Amino acid sequence: MITMMTAKDVGTMVKHKEELFILDVRNQTDYQDWRIEGEQVESINIPYFDLIDGVDGVLDQIPAHKKLLVVCAKEGSSKFVAEQLAEAGLEQVAYLQGGMKSWSEYLEQVLVFADERMKVYQFLRLGKGCLSYMVVSGGEALVIDPSRFTDVYLDAAKHEGAKISHIVDSHLHADHISGGKQLAQMTGADYYMMKSEGAVFSFKPLEEHDRIRFAQVDLRVLAVKTPGHTPGSVSFFVNDKLLFSGDTLFVGGLGRPDLGGKAAEWAQDLYDTVYGKMAAMADDVIVLPGHYAELDREVNESGYVGAQLGVIRAANELMNQQDKKSFVDQVVAQAKTETPPNFEEIIAINRGVEEATAERQQELEIGPNRCALHHTHE
Amino acid sequence: MNSTKVIDAKGLACPMPIVRTKKAMDELAPGEILEVHATDKGSKNDLTAWAGSTGHELLKSEEEAGVFKFWIKKGE
């Protein structure tokens, strides 16, 4: 008997650090590029086309006592292999419904913060490492960096009895397609981003709105001019407590400066931000970033990706008493050459210059996120 | 190109295009050419990887109106 697991089931296991053994039957390059990871997740890769004549050769590689999940790109091959494994006598064989495609699209919602003024949720896109947020107060909701799965935010708002009234993008994303424009159309909410990012549709420019206030929420826009990463990346500082840092600051360290090919210029602006605006912020400000690189390292005890600013500062040499020149030199030296898959086309779609069908959008986003790629573990 | 055999895997989802291809290939002699038609978008990556791992040679591939065509020469 084989069973089916959903991306949500897998997400729950990964977050609760449950043991799972994955047989990934995609081809080798796809597996090396991007796969399901977790502290208690062990995986091996044997392409399904090596298993067409039988699975006897791999049975000894599969531990008997662990739950086994067979994974492929879409679903068909994993089911095919799972059936053969079950016939060969294995018990507890499952396949992943919708394959890596559905893993790429699954969002896990976690409560991050609640006080008498607001409630804040984080949405973890476990398959890609992207984070988005909802701030709820007085029957209104503000969404930060929404993914294209707009139903998730509509459902979450409905559950809170709130109406989405504001949407903000911290920058023009290069690794995933923003749901901001679509969500604004569906809800009538105001949609803000930096004009300097070059989007061609209509929105409220953050250059003219450095503060967004609704109900009990006071959001201040920290414009970090970051030519290089993107021309107008911003962070959002909410109620002097939470810093939604976009791609500027991660739990594991600083954002990467090389995506626009102007690493040195960006690094100087980043220095001014880190040693200017951020230096003035209290240690107990909670940093909520736009991405993570390694869930196990960056997720905290409460189950969300985030950390106190003081903790991030203490762990990051670059944020401590560096002079500008050595800071810039080190940041530039860390610049990488790997870019997010399909980033030029994704940027064009997010700017509104190109359009893509739902199927094409799905294809473009398949694969790893490389904005926050293992940046602290060089 | 002179194909010894043509496999029509159009409309079939993964893993069937490769299953059919492999079966047909088993019946060919080394050096003979199998032509595969498929519509599954993953088939290009998978056929390339499969041919590489089995010692067959992917001679040529093309796409026309949503149909992927492959010519694979059987290895020794």
Side-chain angles (χ1 to χ4, degrees), chain B:
Chain B
M1 206 173 298
N2 278 331
S3 311
T4 313
K5 191 170 183 181
V6 180
I7 288 289
D8 180 6
K10 293 198 290 289
L12 295 178
C14 194
M16 291 322 287
I18 297 246
V19 170
R20 294 251 178 117
T21 301
K22 188 176 178 306
K23 215 172 146 193
M25 197 58 117
D26 288 346
E27 288 161 12
L28 293 192
E32 288 186 321
I33 294 166
L34 182 67
E35 186 176 331
V36 182
H37 299 176
T39 46
D40 188 278
K41 280 186 180 166
S43 57
K44 181 165 188 187
N45 273 342
D46 288 0
L47 271 170
T48 307
W50 172 76
S53 77
T54 47
H56 306 311
E57 191 187 347
L58 182 63
L59 299 172
K60 189 181 154 194
S61 67
E62 60 181 42
E63 185 190 350
E64 198 187 310
V67 178
F68 301 93
K69 295 184 179 177
F70 308 93
W71 287 265
I72 309 162
K73 188 172 153 190
K74 177 150 177 164
E76 295 301 320

Side-chain angles (χ1 to χ4, degrees), chain A residues 292-323:
Chain A
Y292 61 86
E294 283 177 79
L295 185 67
D296 297 333
R297 285 171 182 270
E298 299 178 44
V299 75
N300 62 24
E301 284 162 1
S302 307
Y304 67 86
V305 175
Q308 288 195 351
L309 182 57
V311 174
I312 296 177
R313 271 200 284 244
N316 196 321
E317 274 177 37
L318 276 174
M319 296 178 77
N320 287 297
Q321 301 180 359
Q322 297 274 341
D323 65 67

Side-chain angles (χ1 to χ4, degrees), chain A residues 259-300:
Chain A
L259 285 176
K262 291 179 184 169
E265 200 180 325
W266 185 85
Q268 292 186 26
D269 280 341
L270 186 63
Y271 181 90
D272 293 340
T273 306
V274 170
Y275 287 87
K277 288 168 186 160
M278 277 184 197
M281 289 181 192
D283 277 345
D284 65 358
V285 164
I286 300 169
V287 175
L288 298 165
H291 293 289
Y292 61 86
E294 283 177 79
L295 185 67
D296 297 333
R297 285 171 182 270
E298 299 178 44
V299 75
N300 62 24

Side-chain angles (χ1 to χ4, degrees), chain A residues 122-157:
Chain A
Q122 181 177 69
F123 298 84
L124 293 103
R125 189 169 176 186
L126 291 169
K128 266 194 91 65
C130 299
L131 303 167
S132 51
Y133 299 90
M134 181 177 282
V135 180
V136 185
S137 181
E140 284 187 65
L142 173 142
V143 183
I144 298 170
D145 290 332
S147 69
R148 64 189 165 83
F149 312 108
T150 46
D151 287 351
V152 174
Y153 310 103
L154 293 171
D155 289 348

Side-chain angles (χ1 to χ4, degrees), chain A residues 4-212:
Chain A
M4 184 190 79
M5 275 176 83
T6 62
K8 186 179 170 65
D9 296 334
V10 178
T12 306
M13 290 186 82
V14 167
K15 274 201 63 204
H16 293 161
K17 304 188 176 179
E18 289 172 39
E19 281 197 344
L20 181 64
F21 188 85
I22 292 177
L23 171 60
D24 192 322
V25 299
R26 292 174 301 154
N27 64 56
Q28 214 180 351
T29 49
D30 288 347
Y31 174 78
Q32 281 165 356
D33 208 28
W34 174 59
R35 58 183 170 267
I36 299 175
E37 293 172 288
E39 199 172 293
Q40 295 296 326
V41 174
E42 192 187 334
S43 69
I44 56 170
N45 172 228
I46 302 169
Y48 69 91
F49 46 72
D50 290 340
L51 302 168
I52 289 172
D53 288 336
V55 294
D56 292 351
V58 302
L59 291 175
D60 59 351
Q61 295 181 53
I62 296 168
H65 59 285
K66 281 190 187 175
K67 177 143 182 120
L68 171 66
L69 177 68
V70 188
V71 169
C72 69
K74 282 176 288 190
E75 183 178 296
S77 300
S78 64
K79 215 169 160 179
F80 171 83
V81 171
E83 275 161 6
Q84 291 195 68
L85 288 168
E87 273 172 37
L90 285 190
E91 290 166 17
Q92 283 205 18
V93 186
Y95 67 93
L96 177 62
Q97 182 189 39
M100 289 301 279
K101 241 179 191 173
S102 74
W103 179 243
S104 164
E105 301 191 343
Y106 171 64
L107 300 183
E108 170 107 3
Q109 184 180 349
V110 189
L111 180 68
V112 169
F113 182 88
D115 65 7
E116 66 283 1
R117 298 166 71 188
M118 62 177 174
K119 252 167 125 176
V120 177
Y121 292 99
Q122 181 177 69
F123 298 84
L124 293 103
R125 189 169 176 186
L126 291 169
K128 266 194 91 65
C130 299
L131 303 167
S132 51
Y133 299 90
M134 181 177 282
V135 180
V136 185
S137 181
E140 284 187 65
L142 173 142
V143 183
I144 298 170
D145 290 332
S147 69
R148 64 189 165 83
F149 312 108
T150 46
D151 287 351
V152 174
Y153 310 103
L154 293 171
D155 289 348
K158 197 175 164 195
H159 192 78
E160 293 296 318
K163 185 183 180 309
I164 296 174
S165 53
H166 299 84
I167 300 162
V168 290
D169 260 322
S170 62
H171 62 289
L172 196 86
H173 303 287
D175 62 303
H176 67 271
I177 293 160
S178 170
K181 188 177 153 206
Q182 196 195 346
L183 195 57
Q185 280 166 357
M186 292 167 91
T187 57
D190 289 329
Y191 178 32
Y192 305 82
M193 74 169 126
M194 289 292 274
K195 199 173 180 181
S196 58
E197 294 285 77
V200 297
F201 49 86
S202 110
F203 57 91
K204 293 201 165 190
L206 285 168
E207 283 93 336
E208 293 162 25
H209 301 267
D210 59 359
R211 214 159 182 178
I212 298 171

